[in-house]
Amino acid sequence: MAKEKKLVEAITSMEEDFAQWYTDVVKKAELIEYSNVKGCMILRPNGYAIWENIQKELDRRFKETGVENVYMPLFIPESLLQREKDHVEGFAPEVAWVTHGGMEPLQERLCVRPTSETLFCDMYSNIIQSYRDLPKLYNQWCSVVRWEKTTRPFLRSMEFLWQEGHTAHATEEEAEERTIQMLNVYADFCEQILAIPMIKGKKTDKEKFAGAHSTYTIEALMHDGKALQSGTSHNFGDGFAHAFDIQYTDKDNKLQYVHQTSWGMSTRIIGAIIMVHGDDSGLVLPPRIAPVQVMIVPIAQHKEGVLNKAYELRDRLAKSFSVKVDDSDKSPGWKFSEQEMRGIPTRIEIGPKDLEANQAVIVRRDTREKIVVSLDEIETKLAQVQETMQQEMLERARAHRDAHTYQAANYEEFKELIANKPGFVKAMWCGDEACELKIKEETTATSRCMPFEQEHVADTCVCCGKPAKTMVYWGKAY
Amino acid sequence: MAKEKKLVEAITSMEEDFAQWYTDVVKKAELIEYSNVKGCMILRPNGYAIWENIQKELDRRFKETGVENVYMPLFIPESLLQREKDHVEGFAPEVAWVTHGGMEPLQERLCVRPTSETLFCDMYSNIIQSYRDLPKLYNQWCSVVRWEKTTRPFLRSMEFLWQEGHTAHATEEEAEERTIQMLNVYADFCEQILAIPMIKGKKTDKEKFAGAHSTYTIEALMHDGKALQSGTSHNFGDGFAHAFDIQYTDKDNKLQYVHQTSWGMSTRIIGAIIMVHGDDSGLVLPPRIAPVQVMIVPIAQHKEGVLNKAYELRDRLAKSFSVKVDDSDKSPGWKFSEQEMRGIPTRIEIGPKDLEANQAVIVRRDTREKIVVSLDEIETKLAQVQETMQQEMLERARAHRDAHTYQAANYEEFKELIANKPGFVKAMWCGDEACELKIKEETTATSRCMPFEQEHVADTCVCCGKPAKTMVYWGKAY
Ligand SMILES: [Zn+2]
Ligand SMILES: [Zn+2]
């Protein structure tokens, strides 16, 4: 029992210190390990397997919309990065520079890609000639590097894994349509698979991507009331096309500039899964993303028939679920703690009495509800339990978000809420960047997005009192 | 017709200039595009899709042996790279160095990983404590960088994609067993999926991996008679464990050093697929690895019912094959050329006359054999054609290799063969590195491997005439 206690006690409680709870969970659930390289993390099997499932799901959804995968170089020559003015200003301060190859200094420095717009543009200028070559719908899965001073596992690290989609279109309308389409792919994936509800909207000019005409975002609310930007989709218009001279001949044989988009989701989203669903026993993974969906824990496994029955059950369930048996020499209590720490959505307990009664006990990770089921119908029951759990996790996350979404009609209310009520604050905005800056400086809250679903919560800007143009979601963010 | 000619004429014939043929094919089949970064290539959708299929197949085979995926940092601090003496000597001359992060110079240089032994060792020293923590069977899919002076698409580039497996074991025997197991995984994959027969063997000390006790290799013969090292598996013994202090307490509570392995396969293997199976019309992909297995080309597609029938057929075949319809406004001849250039294993031609006769024509890419089949049984017939093609491609590759494998009893014969008969030469070796060096210097042939299947082709070393120890495969290599 001492050992069991140790595992649970190893993590700080959420209410006591959320940041410490987070750090404890990523370490104790063996998602990551810190590396010898400052700011770079190691994704261990439990963590990487979640990313593999995210990749599989997203990749399928991308391909269904016609996207094809490519791989671009890791390095960007300095001169290429400088081709688009806003873009280089946004990224140059935070890139890693390669200056030597082998024993020799390079003639031109290369940066390790912080994002690959410039490389894609350079390629598109070579391979796009005619309207027949359009659209180009390319994506790549890779790692990128941004020289961050302070880092946190998944949320902010010097190197992280992501996908970056880059498309080129004949018309402005088609590019805008693709930008929104991919935002919806992200939002649907997060809701359906990760059980995380998203606010979809547009970033203000201040918050948009370096070089974009407009940036769309999906924003989630974490358990502690902070917001997390979970995926972005950018419409570049023809800005990059002008900078990189990407032109095509249209059907009338006239030269036209292409319109471009890019969109990305990263391992950051794993931080969201942890902070939306986790509890004081560790991780809670939605069944649809969990690398292991079922852990079978034999009770009194030394008793005759128990282990064999557990293996038999595993082989049966393996046809429809990702399932393992914990047949180690640890105690059942210790095994429960480990399964809970790792967030495995369901546990099946099976012991000598269950064998006699031809039954087993399913235990839900989120509610800890125990469901006794006959072994004859365990596949069906388990599928139902997982399905219910998936739906209820989404509903709980939505209820939590809604209960932590406030609205403010004036600046006093706004400041009061931001200071005392962790969550989203809906408030009107005049559209002036000065107000956005003032709010950030005085309250540390930032504009998360101008949601597609607009509401009229007041007539005037929450900051300056001038006539309002838009409702904005504000919040403190990761 | 002018246009059709153009596509075919765009590639040099193999007999005329094999190197140019290769370069033409990778470009015209749109596998790669050269990038702005010297020595780095862009993998375009046709090329990357082959790599995705390779990944899927290998990853499944790895996981079946208990391997788990992880992700390690891109960077290695200089001091960490230097921990194992032979290893740093092997790699330091060819790495890219990051010296600046953002605006500031780094206190310690970081190299971009050329391979990740040092990072895995550093992690293992942190996470391995007891015999219960063993074995560790980790793998990662990533890109690595080696500062090469002369580069060729797939075969040698500054950055390339690969997987690197790194395992840690309690005993020497277990490590050796794993080393051979993974070599067999590679060889089986290459034969069964890529239709490329492999010679399995051990590298000489001169040719082994920097820091390894022993290196095993699979070697293939290309169409031009040159060898290609296609995958390697290394047994490190406990050398790295000593350098990185990776110890565990065994069952008797004594400290022991772990024994380690690593093994890798890269995008280089795509070069082998091209050079083993390709012909003067372009790429020929084995059905089991082809991203598109069937291209349906409608004949007289403007005629009523043709396109609809083509789509209907696609939807039917899509249940068992990866299939596309080329419904572009190009001529059928042009479509045939494109499908052949891309190496799509089978083409289905269907036109108004076929519709009347309830039939279609399957055309094999490798032999160009035309098979008229009833639409009622096209799934079965197509599966048979693809299966036959897969087998015959392997047999053809094996026959070609065997026909280009020679043996030499003395140095005169050896030099004569290497100079005039492109292929493998089997010859005896005394085991002395001096002979290996002399052979390389005088003939440019290198020792490819000491094959597991040894033969006694002479009593004495082919070079010095002293008593022979081993039969070696020699050849000029990529
Ligand atoms: Zn205002
Ligand atoms: Zn000799």
Side-chain angles (χ1 to χ4, degrees), chain B residues 174-310:
Chain B
E174 210 184 292
E176 179 67 11
E177 203 180 302
R178 172 61 60 167
T179 313
I180 301 296
Q181 181 182 22
M182 300 319 286
L183 191 79
N184 285 330
V185 166
Y186 290 145
D188 290 349
F189 162 74
C190 288
E191 295 211 6
Q192 291 164 15
I193 307 298
L194 308 183
I196 303 178
M198 291 289 167
I199 305 285
K200 294 191 272 191
K202 193 175 177 177
K203 286 282 185 192
T204 61
D205 280 352
K206 180 183 168 302
E207 299 287 332
K208 75 183 185 190
F209 183 81
H213 279 202
S214 44
T215 288
Y216 300 94
T217 180
I218 49 172
E219 302 276 329
L221 198 70
M222 304 298 103
H223 185 83
D224 64 346
K226 278 194 182 170
L228 189 88
Q229 176 181 307
S230 304
T232 48
S233 188
H234 317 290
N235 186 340
F236 290 128
D238 57 4
F240 276 91
H242 280 274
F244 286 83
D245 196 29
I246 316 174
Q247 294 187 80
Y248 70 96
T249 39
D250 67 13
K251 289 183 183 170
D252 304 324
N253 219 27
K254 276 189 199 148
L255 271 180
Q256 304 280 3
Y257 286 100
V258 301
H259 290 74
Q260 291 172 271
T261 83
S262 86
W263 25 275
M265 185 171 267
S266 75
T267 38
R268 195 161 212 244
I269 197 69
I270 298 177
I273 301 174
I274 300 165
M275 291 195 292
V276 167
H277 300 302
D279 66 20
D280 281 345
S281 302
L283 213 57
V284 182
L285 293 174
R288 291 195 192 147
I289 205 67
V292 179
Q293 297 173 309
V294 190
M295 180 61 85
I296 299 174
V297 179
I299 311 294
Q301 67 184 34
H302 58 281
K303 292 267 174 73
E304 202 189 320
V306 172
L307 264 182
N308 279 347
K309 198 71 187 177

Side-chain angles (χ1 to χ4, degrees), chain A residues 428-432 434-436 461-467:
Chain A
M428 304 306 288
W429 178 49
C430 62
D432 192 339
C435 290
E436 212 182 340
C461 174
V462 75
C463 182
C464 67
K466 287 182 193 152

Side-chain angles (χ1 to χ4, degrees), chain B residues 30-63:
Chain B
E30 297 188 351
L31 301 185
I32 69 119
E33 176 73 23
Y34 294 100
S35 83
N36 201 302
V37 190
K38 199 177 150 290
C40 291
M41 63 182 183
I42 294 166
L43 280 173
R44 298 189 65 179
N46 291 352
Y48 195 78
I50 298 174
W51 182 238
E52 284 184 301
N53 281 355
I54 291 172
Q55 283 190 300
K56 209 182 298 166
E57 276 290 337
L58 278 180
D59 200 67
R60 185 175 57 71
R61 286 160 193 252
F62 294 162
K63 284 174 178 160

Side-chain angles (χ1 to χ4, degrees), chain A residues 52 69 71 95 97 99 102 159, chain B residues 52 69 71 95 99-100 102 159:
Chain A
E52 284 184 301
N69 285 336
Y71 186 76
V95 296
W97 290 105
T99 58
E159 183 192 8
Chain B
E52 284 184 301
N69 285 335
Y71 186 77
V95 296
T99 57
H100 287 71
E159 183 192 9

Side-chain angles (χ1 to χ4, degrees), chain B residues 86-106:
Chain B
D86 292 335
H87 189 69
V88 67
E89 274 175 21
F91 284 103
E94 57 175 42
V95 296
W97 291 105
V98 174
T99 57
H100 287 71
M103 299 309 185
E104 287 157 30
L106 303 183

Side-chain angles (χ1 to χ4, degrees), chain A residues 114-290:
Chain A
T115 180
S116 307
E117 274 72 13
T118 52
L119 293 167
F120 275 91
C121 285
D122 187 46
M123 173 180 63
Y124 283 150
S125 74
N126 291 325
I127 67 172
I128 295 172
Q129 271 98 39
S130 134
Y131 69 94
R132 287 176 212 265
D133 299 324
L134 295 173
K136 284 276 181 258
L137 309 172
Y138 288 176
N139 174 64
Q140 80 169 338
W141 294 94
C142 64
S143 84
V144 289
V145 170
R146 296 178 190 177
W147 214 261
E148 304 276 1
K149 291 256 156 67
T150 49
T151 59
R152 299 195 61 192
F154 297 116
L155 302 175
R156 196 171 295 279
S157 51
M158 231 173 64
E159 183 192 8
F160 58 87
L161 298 173
W162 80 345
Q163 59 67 219
E164 46 179 324
H166 296 266
T167 69
H169 305 268
T171 66
E172 202 177 326
E173 294 70 35
E174 211 184 292
E176 180 67 10
E177 202 179 303
R178 171 60 62 168
T179 313
I180 302 297
Q181 180 182 22
M182 300 320 286
L183 191 80
N184 286 330
V185 167
Y186 289 144
D188 291 348
F189 162 74
C190 289
E191 297 211 4
Q192 292 164 14
I193 306 298
L194 308 183
I196 303 178
M198 291 288 166
I199 306 284
K200 295 189 273 191
K202 193 175 177 176
K203 287 281 183 193
T204 61
D205 280 352
K206 180 181 167 305
E207 298 287 332
K208 75 184 185 190
F209 182 82
H213 278 203
S214 44
T215 288
Y216 299 94
T217 180
I218 50 173
E219 301 277 330
L221 198 69
M222 303 299 102
H223 185 84
D224 65 345
K226 278 193 181 170
L228 189 88
Q229 175 180 306
S230 305
T232 47
S233 189
H234 317 290
N235 186 339
F236 290 127
D238 58 4
F240 276 91
H242 279 273
F244 286 83
D245 197 28
I246 316 173
Q247 294 189 79
Y248 69 96
T249 39
D250 67 12
K251 288 185 183 169
D252 304 324
N253 219 26
K254 276 187 198 150
L255 272 180
Q256 305 279 1
Y257 286 100
V258 300
H259 290 74
Q260 291 172 270
T261 83
S262 85
W263 25 276
M265 184 169 269
S266 75
T267 38
R268 194 158 214 243
I269 197 72
I270 297 176
I273 301 173
I274 300 165
M275 292 195 291
V276 167
H277 300 302
D279 65 21
D280 281 346
S281 301
L283 214 55
V284 183
L285 293 174
R288 292 195 193 147
I289 205 68

Side-chain angles (χ1 to χ4, degrees), chain A residues 23-52:
Chain A
T23 310
D24 289 347
V25 167
V26 295
K27 194 76 202 307
K28 293 289 166 189
E30 298 189 347
L31 301 184
I32 69 119
E33 176 73 24
Y34 295 99
S35 83
N36 201 303
V37 191
K38 200 178 147 290
C40 289
M41 62 183 182
I42 294 166
L43 281 173
R44 296 188 67 178
N46 290 352
Y48 194 78
I50 299 174
W51 183 240
E52 284 184 301

